[in-house]
């Protein structure tokens, strides 16, 4: 039991002693009654209220709950009248109120502890030791002493100590403890790996040591950034904060006013000071018990924890809240709905060309791609290096924006790029090669074309396939938001992917330089766009969208192009994230409405003369119900 809850439990149990004694006198049960014992019981009950006063004072310093003023006034009036009047029949009311408020504090703190109990520090997953590779020597050092650029060896069954790139080895890596992904990921040379993930143990070929070059250390590790994302502080407070503050202030002032009116009315009608104070205390408690002012902050905290459990890093709470208004979800195709390209596939020599072999074509393409940062270009360069090819010397590198890259080789213009390059530059293609390209598209492969002086000399396939959860994610979103696949790939290839997912809306052959403009065009027609894309290659489009969700943990995950980062590679998280945002906003608003309604109803009961302890009891049950609605967001 946590200390904060324990204090409330002890105080509640002790408060039952004076309550039992004065209640026995109220019902005239046989016991030894003495006015001195009555005063001592009141005094003991007042001592038991110390946790209540402590909580009121703590929140007053933070200015987080104006309604606490009502509880303080109610306790002061109730005990003050009991001591001053000496009316033994009234003693049970302040002691009963004390016990009920302490019980409420116990229940509240127990529920509040449920929320932080769901938080698991990802930094705790990091190993204490790392195996440093120094030439041919291995040295065991503290993981916290690692530096960027150093090389570490991670054996099967060991935890990766820092973010970095695999430079040698092939092995299955699990990110289950970080992102919740149950499916392990095969990591190959060039792949980015996440500190805290595990190189899975086993005797199969898929379980091998990984040699990793460190790219981030210390507080720059992604797991640390994910931990910090729980306490993200925006200039803009959570939605409904202003409404909550105004409601709480208005409720506090209104409750005090109604309490004064009710007390005056009771005094005129009954001429009884006991009735006057009972009604006033009842009305004050009615306005205090429903925690209107705390609903927004608690809902924001609960949803932040749930988001982290989904494997999402939040840099802007405002962007998370904006998800509830999204009516158009745009997915990039490659690497989001599909697994992305991990290797070079078939290499084709075009008909009627001077290129003599696949190796010659690959070496020429790799030489030209040295002047680009394109993902497929890197794969071409890696494949050429793997085959040990000698690259020809080329000059005058020039990017073809959104299409490819060009260079001069032996006095001829060499161009390497996508289908858009072929169409724009007028590259001639043999009908047989067109058929081969069409076949590659039908199989889901992307194609890079190589031309010399606007004559196609060859083309390279890059196999790709849909992710396992892509279709399910589309089904979950269908009928709720418009869904579009956005890609720079050929129309026939993107259309095939769309058909497999049951979608009719797609935008193909949209150059990377125009994708931000494509987003703007749809926003101008009233769309609130969520773009799910790569943080590096699609940074401009992510920044332009209403909400940008960077997909997957990669080397560019630390960039600021997206306010939300889906560290896992599970498209199914997207509909869950949107649903959570809507659920958070809905429950927060309804909690405010229900809290105000319950308080107003209880104030009416207090005005009509219902006993203050009865009002406190109903308020306790109501607060538990409202708090449970928020706690369920985490589960």
């Amino acid at each position: 039991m946590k200390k904060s809850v324990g204090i409330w439990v002890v105080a509640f149990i002790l408060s039952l002693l004076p309550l039992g004694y004065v209640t026995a006198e109220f019902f005239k049960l046989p016991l030894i009654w003495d006015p001195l014992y009555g005063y001592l019981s009141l005094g003991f009950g007042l001592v038991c209220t110390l946790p209540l006063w402590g909580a009121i004072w703590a929140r007053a310093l933070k200015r987080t709950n104006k309604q606490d003023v009502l509880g303080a006034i109610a306790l002061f009036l109730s005990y003050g009248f009991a001591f001053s009047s000496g009316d033994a029949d009234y003693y049970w009311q302040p002691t009963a109120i004390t016990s009920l408020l302490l019980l409420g504090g116990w229940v509240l703190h127990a529920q509040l502890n449920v929320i932080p109990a769901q938080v698991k520090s990802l930094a705790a997953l990091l190993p204490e030791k790392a195996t440093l590779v120094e030439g041919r020597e291995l040295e065991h050092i503290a993981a916290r002493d690692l530096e960027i650029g150093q090389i570490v060896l991670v054996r099967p069954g060991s935890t990766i100590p820092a973010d970095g790139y695999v430079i040698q080895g092939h092995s299955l890596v699990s990110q289950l403890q970080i992102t919740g992904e149950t499916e392990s990921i095969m990591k190959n040379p060039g792949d980015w790996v996440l500190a805290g993930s595990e190189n899975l143990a086993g005797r199969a070929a898929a379980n091998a040591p990984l040699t990793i070059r460190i790219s981030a250390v210390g507080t720059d590790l992604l797991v640390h950034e994910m931990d910090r994302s729980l306490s993200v502080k925006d200039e803009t407070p959570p939605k409904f904060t202003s409404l909550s503050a105004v409601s709480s202030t208005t409720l506090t002032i209104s409750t005090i006013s109604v309490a004064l009116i009710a007390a005056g009315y009771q005094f005129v009608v009954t001429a009884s000071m006991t009735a006057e104070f009972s009604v006033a205390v009842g009305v004050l408690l009615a306005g205090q018990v429903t925690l209107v002012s705390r609903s927004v902050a608690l809902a924001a905290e609960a949803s932040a924890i749930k988001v982290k459990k989904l494997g999402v890093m939040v840099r802007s709470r405002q962007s998370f809240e904006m998800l509830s208004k999204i009516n158009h979800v745009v997915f990039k195709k490659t690497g989001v709905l599909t697994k992305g390209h991990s290797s070079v596939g078939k290499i084709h020599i075009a008909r009627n060309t001077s290129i003599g072999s696949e190796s010659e074509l690959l070496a020429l393409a790799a030489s030209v791609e040295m002047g680009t940062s394109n993902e497929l270009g890197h794969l071409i360069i890696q494949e050429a290096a793997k085959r040990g090819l000698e690259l020809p010397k080329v000059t005058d590198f020039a990017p073809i924006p959104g299409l490819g890259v060009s260079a001069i080789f032996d006095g001829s213009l060499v161009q390497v790029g996508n289908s858009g390059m072929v169409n724009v530059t007028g590259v001639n293609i043999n009908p047989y090669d067109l058929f081969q390209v069409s076949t590659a598209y039908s199989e889901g492969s992307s194609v890079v074309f190589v031309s010399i002086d606007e004559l196609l000399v060859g083309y390279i396939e890059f196999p790709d396939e849909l992710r396992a959860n892509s279709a399910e994610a589309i089904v979950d979103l269908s009928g709720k938001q418009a869904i579009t696949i956005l890609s720079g790939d050929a129309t026939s290839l993107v259309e095939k992917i769309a058909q497999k997912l049951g979608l009719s809306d797609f935008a193909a052959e949209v150059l990377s330089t125009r994708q931000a403009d494509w987003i703007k065009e749809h926003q101008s027609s009233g769309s609130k766009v969520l773009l799910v894309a790569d943080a590096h290659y699609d940074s401009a489009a992510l920044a332009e969208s209403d909400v940008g969700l960077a997909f997957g943990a990669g080397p560019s995950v630390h960039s600021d192009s997206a306010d939300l980062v889906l560290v896992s590679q599970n498209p199914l998280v997207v509909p869950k994230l949107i649903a959570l945002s809507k659920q958070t906003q809905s429950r927060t608003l309804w909690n405010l409405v229900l809290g105000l309604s319950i308080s107003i109803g209880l104030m009416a009961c207090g005005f009509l003369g219902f006993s203050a302890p009865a009002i406190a009891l109903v308020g306790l049950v109501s607060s538990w119900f409202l708090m449970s609605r928020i706690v369920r967001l985490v589960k």
Side-chain angles (χ1 to χ4, degrees):
M1 182 183 296
K2 295 198 174 183
K3 182 179 179 181
S4 60
V5 177
I7 293 173
W8 292 91
V9 174
V10 171
F12 168 70
I13 293 173
L14 292 176
S15 73
L16 296 177
L17 298 176
L19 174 61
Y21 183 71
V22 298
T23 302
E25 168 60 19
F26 177 79
F27 287 105
K28 307 305 179 184
L29 299 178
L31 82 166
I32 301 174
W33 172 259
D34 187 285
L36 177 61
Y37 292 164
Y39 278 111
L40 289 175
S41 295
L42 285 177
F44 191 72
L46 190 58
V47 171
C48 290
T49 64
L50 288 177
L52 293 169
W53 293 106
I56 290 171
W57 178 251
R59 289 196 289 266
L61 292 176
K62 297 179 182 178
R63 299 182 179 180
T64 56
N65 194 358
K66 296 182 178 66
Q67 291 170 259
D68 281 334
V69 173
L70 302 176
I73 297 174
L75 284 172
F76 178 78
L77 290 178
S78 188
Y79 274 99
F81 178 72
F83 276 113
S84 62
S85 68
D87 184 356
D89 288 341
Y90 182 79
Y91 287 2
W92 77 277
Q93 290 205 34
T95 53
I97 292 170
T98 298
S99 294
L100 287 170
L101 290 180
L102 288 171
L103 178 60
W106 174 8
V107 173
L108 171 64
H109 282 77
Q111 287 183 307
L112 289 178
N113 283 336
V114 170
I115 296 177
Q118 302 293 320
V119 180
K120 179 176 62 177
S121 174
L122 297 179
L125 299 173
L126 299 176
E128 294 184 1
K129 296 289 186 179
T131 303
L132 183 66
V133 179
E134 292 278 8
R136 295 186 177 183
E137 301 293 327
L138 298 179
E139 180 183 355
H140 296 286
I141 66 170
R144 64 176 178 273
D145 294 333
L146 288 172
E147 298 178 0
I148 294 175
Q150 289 183 323
I151 297 174
V152 295
L153 178 68
V154 181
R155 295 184 173 88
S158 299
T159 301
I160 296 172
D163 299 344
Y165 299 90
V166 176
I167 59 176
Q168 186 176 346
H170 308 264
S171 188
L172 286 171
V173 171
S174 172
Q175 298 180 169
L176 175 64
Q177 297 299 318
I178 300 172
T179 65
E181 294 173 279
T182 56
E183 185 177 350
S184 301
I185 305 169
M186 176 59 72
K187 295 295 184 179
N188 303 298
D191 289 342
W192 193 76
V193 289
L194 179 61
S197 52
E198 180 186 2
N199 185 9
L200 291 179
R203 297 182 179 180
N207 305 103
L210 291 175
T211 305
I212 299 168
R213 186 180 299 278
I214 303 302
S215 63
V217 295
T219 57
D220 291 333
L221 294 176
L222 185 61
V223 289
H224 287 303
E225 188 170 356
M226 290 184 71
D227 282 339
R228 291 194 298 269
S229 72
L230 279 177
S231 57
V232 62
K233 301 294 183 184
D234 284 350
E235 293 181 2
T236 305
K239 193 175 181 181
F240 303 125
T241 296
S242 297
L243 176 60
S244 172
V246 171
S247 299
S248 179
T249 302
T250 303
L251 180 62
T252 300
I253 296 173
S254 301
T255 301
I256 294 174
S257 301
V258 172
L260 291 172
I261 295 171
Y265 174 78
Q266 284 293 328
F267 184 74
V268 171
V269 173
T270 65
S272 169
M273 291 291 290
T274 301
E276 179 183 7
F277 273 89
S278 295
V279 168
V281 170
V283 172
L284 290 169
L285 288 174
Q288 188 265 343
V289 291
T290 51
L291 303 173
V292 169
S293 63
R294 302 185 67 184
S295 294
V296 175
L298 291 173
E301 182 182 359
S303 61
I305 294 171
K306 181 64 175 180
V307 165
K308 180 182 176 182
K309 292 172 73 173
L310 289 174
V312 177
M313 182 169 65
V314 179
R315 293 195 176 109
S316 167
R317 182 172 49 229
Q318 194 173 9
S319 291
F320 169 70
E321 292 172 349
M322 184 65 188
L323 285 172
S324 63
K325 297 181 179 179
I326 291 298
N327 56 19
H328 192 173
V329 180
V330 179
F331 288 98
K332 286 300 298 290
K333 178 187 75 70
T334 305
V336 178
L337 293 174
T338 67
K339 292 183 178 180
H341 310 108
S342 59
S343 63
V344 170
K346 297 177 183 177
I347 300 176
H348 301 267
I349 306 299
R351 289 294 178 93
N352 305 320
T353 178
S354 59
I355 295 292
S357 67
E358 291 182 6
S359 295
E360 185 180 351
L361 177 68
L362 183 63
L364 179 60
S367 295
V368 177
E369 289 287 4
M370 286 292 186
T372 183
S373 61
N374 182 272
E375 176 190 10
L376 299 185
H378 288 163
L379 292 177
I380 290 174
I381 295 169
Q382 288 175 12
E383 182 65 21
K386 187 188 301 182
R387 298 189 183 192
L389 302 180
E390 182 178 349
L391 304 187
K393 184 177 180 180
V394 297
T395 59
D396 299 331
F397 292 101
I400 310 173
L403 302 175
V405 64
S406 68
I408 300 298
F409 168 64
D410 198 20
S412 296
L413 176 66
V414 181
Q415 295 174 312
V416 181
N418 56 25
S419 59
M421 180 203 74
V422 173
N423 296 331
V424 171
T425 60
V427 173
N428 294 312
I429 303 181
N430 183 283
Y432 172 81
D433 293 316
L434 280 175
F435 175 77
Q436 291 291 94
V437 169
S438 178
T439 301
Y441 286 156
S442 67
E443 294 173 351
S445 296
S446 296
V447 178
V448 167
F449 299 86
V450 183
S451 70
I452 298 178
D453 291 334
E454 298 182 355
L455 176 66
L456 184 70
V457 295
Y459 42 98
I460 304 170
E461 292 185 25
F462 296 86
D464 198 1
E465 59 181 301
L466 281 173
R467 294 188 185 276
N469 293 326
S470 292
E472 189 176 353
I474 297 300
V475 169
D476 284 356
L477 290 169
S478 297
K480 302 171 185 175
Q481 289 90 16
I483 308 170
T484 302
I485 300 176
L486 178 63
S487 177
D489 284 336
T491 300
S492 56
L493 172 58
V494 181
E495 186 177 16
K496 284 286 184 183
I497 296 295
Q499 288 174 351
K500 289 181 180 179
L501 293 172
L503 293 175
S504 58
D505 190 12
F506 62 90
E509 299 185 25
V510 180
L511 304 183
S512 58
T513 53
R514 284 209 65 255
Q515 289 177 1
D517 293 331
W518 186 93
I519 297 289
K520 286 182 183 178
E521 291 170 6
H522 283 73
Q523 288 172 326
S524 64
S525 62
S527 292
K528 298 292 184 183
V529 178
L530 164 64
L531 176 63
V532 188
D534 183 88
H536 177 67
Y537 297 109
D538 307 306
S539 57
L542 283 168
E544 191 60 47
S545 59
D546 294 284
V547 179
L549 176 60
F551 188 89
S556 299
V557 76
H558 298 288
S559 70
D560 295 328
S561 58
D563 290 325
L564 303 175
V565 179
L566 177 54
V567 180
S568 68
Q569 296 180 330
N570 184 2
L572 195 55
V573 171
V574 176
K576 291 180 179 179
L577 194 61
I578 295 174
L580 178 62
S581 178
K582 291 182 176 181
Q583 191 178 41
T584 301
Q585 308 312 312
S586 174
R587 288 195 181 180
T588 302
L589 181 58
W590 273 107
N591 265 24
L592 288 174
V593 173
L594 288 173
L596 287 171
S597 300
I598 292 170
S599 288
I600 292 171
L602 291 177
M603 285 167 60
C605 292
F607 192 97
L608 296 174
F610 283 75
S611 70
I615 291 174
L617 178 60
V618 175
L620 166 63
V621 175
S622 301
S623 295
W624 171 83
F625 169 72
L626 295 176
M627 184 61 63
S628 297
R629 284 169 50 83
I630 293 175
V631 171
R632 283 199 296 271
L633 285 172
V634 182
K635 297 181 178 179

